[in-house]
Amino acid sequence: MSEPTKTRILLADDHALVRRGVRLILDNEPDLTVVAEAGDGAEAIDKARAEQPDLAILDIAMPRLTGLQAARELSRLQPGLRILILTMYDNEQYFFEALKAGAAGYVLKSVADRDLIEACRAAMRDEPFLYPGAINALIRNYLDRAKDGDTLPTKTITDREEEILKLVAEGHTSKEIADILVISTKTVERHRANLLQKLGLKDRLELTRYAIRAGLIEP
């Protein structure tokens, strides 16, 4: 009787001790095997090119390229590659950004010994993996909005304001933005003032931080 085909895994984390622990969990399973390791996002992309794994497990906070940046690039380069984000951040924003970047799931390091194997197998079945905290946060958020009578979902800023926010955060002047969007400089300034007021922010730096958190630009 032939052995089952193993899922070939690339593991990327900038802490060797974490990689060692996660590798022990994965290699102990009959259907999973780690074929490559990387210490940062850029190395993860190189290793994925070389090894052609079935699944990449990426930490978010890594040097050179973050796990989210690497996930975006890997999704573009290798559309068939499944991706999981493994992180210490129990953060709803990161969770949504991970899904937008092409990840099939989001696993917390604190419960990796419990959730990671299940997440790997779900990813290989083309099923998303939602950790319990994310599900609870989504439900709470939905119920809170419903209780307050908000329309679901709500969007804080308009599409035009979002365009201008992204361009401001990328460092363009009001005149450059006006030229790009074919509107007047005065209109750009009005939208910018509206953005600051709506979002409760003070200046370009705070707008840039907001754009990074919203996934409009990369940090």
Side-chain angles (χ1 to χ4, degrees), residues 6 48 54 61 63 111 118 123 143 150:
K6 292 193 175 191
D54 306 305
V111 289
E118 182 188 342
L143 292 175
D150 287 351

Side-chain angles (χ1 to χ4, degrees), residues 11 13 18 21-22 25-26 57-60 84-96 98 104-120 129-137 140:
L11 176 59
D13 193 293
V18 172
V22 172
I25 293 171
L26 297 170
I57 299 174
L58 310 173
D59 182 28
I60 281 186
L84 290 175
I85 296 295
L86 179 65
T87 179
M88 62 184 287
Y89 300 113
D90 184 356
N91 180 300
E92 200 175 331
Q93 182 66 37
Y94 282 138
F95 169 68
F96 284 120
Y106 190 94
V107 181
L108 297 181
K109 288 182 180 178
S110 57
V111 289
D113 56 335
R114 185 192 73 199
D115 288 351
L116 187 57
I117 302 304
E118 182 188 342
C120 288
F129 180 84
L130 304 177
Y131 73 100
I135 297 170
N136 292 340
R140 271 198 313 274

Side-chain angles (χ1 to χ4, degrees), residues 2-3 6 25 48 75 85 111 140 150 158 169 182 202 204 211:
S2 61
E3 285 190 18
K6 292 193 175 191
I25 293 171
S75 294
I85 296 295
V111 289
R140 271 198 313 274
D150 287 351
T158 66
V182 197
K202 295 196 296 279
R204 178 196 287 271

Side-chain angles (χ1 to χ4, degrees), residues 173-176 178-179 183-191:
T173 65
S174 293
K175 184 177 185 318
E176 288 169 344
D179 291 342
I183 56 179
S184 71
T185 304
K186 191 177 288 186
T187 301
V188 173
E189 294 292 355
R190 190 177 72 249
H191 281 305

Side-chain angles (χ1 to χ4, degrees), residues 19-88:
R19 292 201 307 271
R20 195 174 307 137
V22 172
R23 183 167 196 154
L24 282 172
I25 293 171
L26 297 170
D27 282 346
N28 201 39
E29 297 300 313
D31 56 333
L32 305 173
T33 183
V34 176
V35 296
E37 294 185 26
D40 61 56
E43 188 184 3
I45 291 169
D46 291 340
K47 291 286 181 75
R49 280 198 185 105
E51 297 292 337
Q52 295 292 307
D54 306 305
L55 173 66
I57 299 174
L58 310 173
D59 182 28
I60 281 186
M62 292 191 290
R64 293 209 285 170
L65 288 178
T66 68
L68 294 177
Q69 289 171 320
R72 290 187 194 106
E73 184 66 8
L74 287 171
S75 294
R76 186 181 67 80
L77 293 172
Q78 299 180 29
L81 176 66
R82 274 72 163 199
I83 298 170
L84 290 175
I85 296 295
L86 179 65
T87 179
M88 62 184 287

Side-chain angles (χ1 to χ4, degrees), residues 148-192:
D148 293 340
D150 287 351
T151 304
L152 300 170
T154 58
K155 187 174 179 184
T156 309
I157 60 178
T158 66
D159 291 344
R160 176 61 93 190
E161 286 169 345
E162 186 175 281
E163 286 178 331
I164 288 171
L165 170 60
K166 179 170 169 51
L167 292 168
V168 167
E170 287 175 350
H172 294 285
T173 65
S174 293
K175 184 177 185 318
E176 288 169 344
I177 295 171
D179 291 342
I180 291 167
L181 298 179
V182 197
I183 56 179
S184 71
T185 304
K186 191 177 288 186
T187 301
V188 173
E189 294 292 355
R190 190 177 72 249
H191 281 305
R192 187 168 164 171

